[in-house]
Amino acid sequence: MGSLLDWLIHFPPLLWGLEQVEEVAIRALKHGKIPQHVAFVMDGNRRWAREHRVETIEGHSLGFETLKNLLRVCLKMGVKEVSTFAFSIENFKRSKHEVDALMDIAKNSLNQITAHGDMVDQYGIRIRIVGDLALLKPDVYETVVNVVESTKNNTRATLNVCFPYTSRHEISNSVQSIVHLAEDGKLVPEDIDESLFEKHLLLNDSHPLDWLIRTSGVERLSDFLLWQVHEDSQISFIDSYWPDFSIWRFFPMLIRYQLQSQQGE
Ligand code: FPP
Ligand code: MG
């Protein structure tokens, strides 16, 4: 039996930190198919908070940390676009206290990741805020406009923060824009096809949605990306609450995604 030192020399992984394990896992996963566009329905923050006997807001704040970790590994793997359901228009029906807190978290989170040298800088991400921006309070709106403006020339990847969003709003908004163009004589009904319709969606100029993941055991789409889900999109529902959804739960799911993609080819 050798000394501990011998073991460590022969089995260097024992000396690795989680960061190195993450790098090795990413390198291995990159041999398989990497989805171009991944969407997250970040569900279960309040149930997580209730189970851990902490304030609801802590569940949402921790939810943002989960998003950052997943975003980091997605970007390292070469995912081109990540869409995330940060606030549904329906969420305005929640208590004023929770809505205000969610708005604050969104504002601070956006400021944090776009700060000099942080994630957006490091990975060259363009941020788009997708939703009915007219519903935002002036201070949140101002942050959103700054973030979109300051990242618009980044080309490596895109983060779509859907906020405040529903697909029904997005789709009816697209119809409205097209009808206005028709009224102005700029198009005739025969010009309307899928590609024209898509150009008028809030989430336009996007990669096809390859994979949608919803946490918390709820198996619904909840008015999220209804147009974007297409015949080849994979949909995964996982039982973990969003704050518990770590990259270590994400990696095995990605292996299953890769196997299923191979079977579908
Ligand atoms: C759903 O869980 C989660 C939300 C409504 C908010 C998610 C927002 C964040 C994680 C902040 C991210 C911010 C940015 C800018 C990206 P729930 O409240 O429905 O929980 P429940 O299903 O347990 O009730
Ligand atoms: Mg929920």
Side-chain angles (χ1 to χ4, degrees):
M1 193 69 170
S3 66
L4 176 64
L5 194 61
D6 285 339
W7 272 93
L8 292 176
I9 289 165
H10 289 103
F11 298 99
L14 292 174
L15 284 176
W16 292 352
L18 280 182
E19 239 170 79
Q20 280 144 313
V21 180
E22 177 184 310
E23 292 301 327
V24 171
I26 289 172
R27 231 177 294 148
L29 286 161
K30 276 171 90 169
H31 288 287
K33 183 187 166 186
I34 296 299
Q36 294 268 288
H37 184 174
V38 181
F40 296 114
V41 180
M42 312 185 280
D43 199 20
N45 293 349
R46 292 187 298 185
R47 277 167 284 164
W48 183 91
R50 223 174 291 137
E51 280 190 12
H52 290 78
R53 296 171 195 282
V54 295
E55 292 277 323
T56 301
I57 308 312
E58 279 192 50
H60 292 313
S61 297
L62 202 63
F64 175 62
E65 298 303 318
T66 301
L67 178 64
K68 272 198 310 191
N69 287 332
L70 288 163
L71 192 57
R72 184 187 67 244
V73 296
C74 281
L75 296 168
K76 282 186 181 169
M77 283 186 311
V79 172
K80 291 275 172 264
E81 189 165 352
V82 172
S83 298
T84 189
F85 205 1
F87 193 90
S88 164
I89 293 174
E90 292 297 310
N91 291 153
F92 279 113
K93 293 179 186 155
R94 295 188 179 188
S95 71
K96 182 177 180 317
H97 175 70
E98 189 180 349
V99 170
D100 287 349
L102 276 167
M103 290 291 155
D104 274 349
I105 293 173
K107 206 168 73 171
N108 296 336
S109 307
L110 290 171
N111 283 329
Q112 187 199 108
I113 55 173
T114 48
H116 185 65
D118 211 280
M119 276 194 102
V120 167
D121 244 6
Q122 271 172 34
Y123 296 100
I125 320 170
R126 165 177 70 145
I127 297 190
R128 296 195 291 187
I129 310 292
V130 182
D132 189 353
L133 304 190
L135 299 173
L136 296 175
K137 284 189 180 165
D139 59 325
V140 184
Y141 181 80
E142 197 186 319
T143 302
V144 159
V145 170
N146 287 340
V147 161
V148 171
E149 181 59 28
S150 66
T151 64
K152 69 177 186 204
N153 295 324
N154 293 345
T155 52
R156 237 178 94 188
T158 300
L159 171 65
N160 302 310
V161 179
C162 299
F163 169 89
Y165 175 89
T166 60
S167 288
R168 281 157 196 262
H169 164 263
E170 181 184 29
I171 290 169
S172 49
N173 190 72
S174 172
V175 173
Q176 262 182 27
S177 316
I178 292 169
V179 171
H180 283 312
L181 288 177
E183 278 175 349
D184 294 346
K186 294 190 177 130
L187 56 81
V188 292
E190 289 67 33
D191 294 330
I192 303 171
D193 57 13
E194 287 174 24
S195 107
L196 181 97
F197 190 80
E198 244 167 42
K199 271 193 205 130
H200 290 273
L201 288 172
L202 300 171
L203 196 56
N204 52 33
D205 189 23
S206 264
H207 294 84
L209 178 61
D210 292 321
W211 195 16
L212 184 144
I213 299 173
R214 180 175 187 148
T215 52
S216 94
V218 174
E219 301 192 355
R220 291 197 298 260
L221 291 181
S222 296
D223 217 343
F224 184 54
L225 304 186
L226 299 186
W227 174 275
Q228 288 80 4
V229 170
H230 59 86
E231 73 272 28
D232 294 323
S233 307
Q234 288 195 39
I235 302 183
S236 302
F237 296 106
I238 175 170
D239 283 339
S240 315
Y241 294 144
W242 178 256
D244 282 332
F245 186 40
S246 67
I247 59 169
W248 309 110
R249 293 189 188 187
F250 177 65
F251 288 151
M253 288 176 74
L254 181 57
I255 294 172
R256 271 199 300 282
Y257 168 89
Q258 294 181 329
L259 290 172
Q260 278 170 15
S261 299
Q262 256 174 4
Q263 284 161 8
E265 271 168 9

